[in-house]
Amino acid sequence: MESRASFTAETMALQRAFESHRPPGRRLFDDPYATAFLRPSLRVLAEAARFPGLRRLATGLYDAAAGPGPRASGIARTKVIDDALAEAMTGDTQCVLLGAGYDTRAHRLAALAGRAVFEVDHPATQARKRAVLGAGPHYVPVDFEHDDLTAGLLENGFDLGKPSVFVWEGVTNYLTADAVDATLAAVRGLGGDLVFTYVDVRALHEPSPFPEARRWVRAVARSGEPWTFGLLPAETGKFLAERGFDLEKDVSAHDAGGGSRLYRIAIARRSADAPHQ
């Protein structure tokens, strides 16, 4: 990875800002920090969405540039994961945000207040985040393709004696298969359950059953962050079982409330007989 903050992390922050600027009774979540991560041009677009007369224009301009799918999918996945964490964070459960990007859950979710939260990501993105939010969670600098996730977490206070839930949002589709396997092995060894997103692998190849796939795949490639990994939903349960997890839920962004059928959110529990670290 280059020594720069992630552009896709910034666009996800813009999507969250759009949703947060909807009326309180209609928005699915509120992220009051999202706008702070945006470059001036995108910040103007986000701020315009605060005003009813400009909201449709601002979101329409974004959708015209990004294509159908990304914004609605990003909003749907955020809501599903927020709800999953609200249910999972009981007792002294720890939360690990893998590839956290500009995720602000450690600051905005009541379910994470007072909890041990670890944010794992590339140092360049973390530097930008620290500059905006300052202190908060445990920042763990890790490159998933090269670094030891287990060592990084243990060196930063992760407690093997406590339950944990790992959130892996918007990351797997940018990794190699080897990096995905290594990360799943680390999560399993650390005793964690997992909430993650992935793309339907058929979106990576042409012809694709998803009309929005070509434009979306080409857009992320042009940004320098191409999609490189996906799963076939019908085989995701088997894929996870072979790696020590039981699939509990697997839903497309479309079925979760809006967005694309190619983008999916899954919840998996560590198998009872999976080896522990």
Side-chain angles (χ1 to χ4, degrees), residues 28-41:
L28 297 180
F29 54 83
D30 182 23
D31 184 347
Y33 310 100
T35 305
F37 295 106
L38 303 178
R39 65 191 64 187
S41 59

Side-chain angles (χ1 to χ4, degrees), residues 116-138:
V117 180
F118 303 83
E119 293 200 357
V120 180
D121 209 342
H122 191 274
T125 298
Q126 289 186 334
R128 168 66 175 148
K129 195 167 188 178
R130 284 176 183 268
V132 172
L133 295 178
H138 301 275

Side-chain angles (χ1 to χ4, degrees), residues 20-90:
S20 300
H21 292 165
R22 296 178 70 200
R26 297 176 56 194
R27 62 190 178 211
L28 297 180
F29 54 83
D30 182 23
D31 184 347
Y33 310 100
T35 305
F37 295 106
L38 303 178
R39 65 191 64 187
S41 59
L42 297 183
R43 190 173 298 178
V44 168
L45 197 61
E47 291 296 339
R50 292 184 182 275
F51 304 98
L54 296 177
R55 185 176 302 119
R56 186 182 296 274
L57 175 62
T59 56
L61 287 172
Y62 177 87
D63 292 342
R71 180 172 63 90
S73 297
I75 291 167
R77 85 186 198 196
T78 299
K79 174 60 174 174
V80 170
I81 294 172
D82 283 0
D83 290 347
L85 280 177
E87 182 177 346
M89 298 305 295
T90 59

Side-chain angles (χ1 to χ4, degrees), residues 246-265:
D246 298 323
L247 180 62
E248 183 174 281
K249 180 178 181 178
D250 185 5
V251 62
S252 72
H254 178 274
D255 292 336
S260 174
R261 288 183 171 85
L262 70 82
Y263 210 97
R264 305 188 67 86
I265 310 101

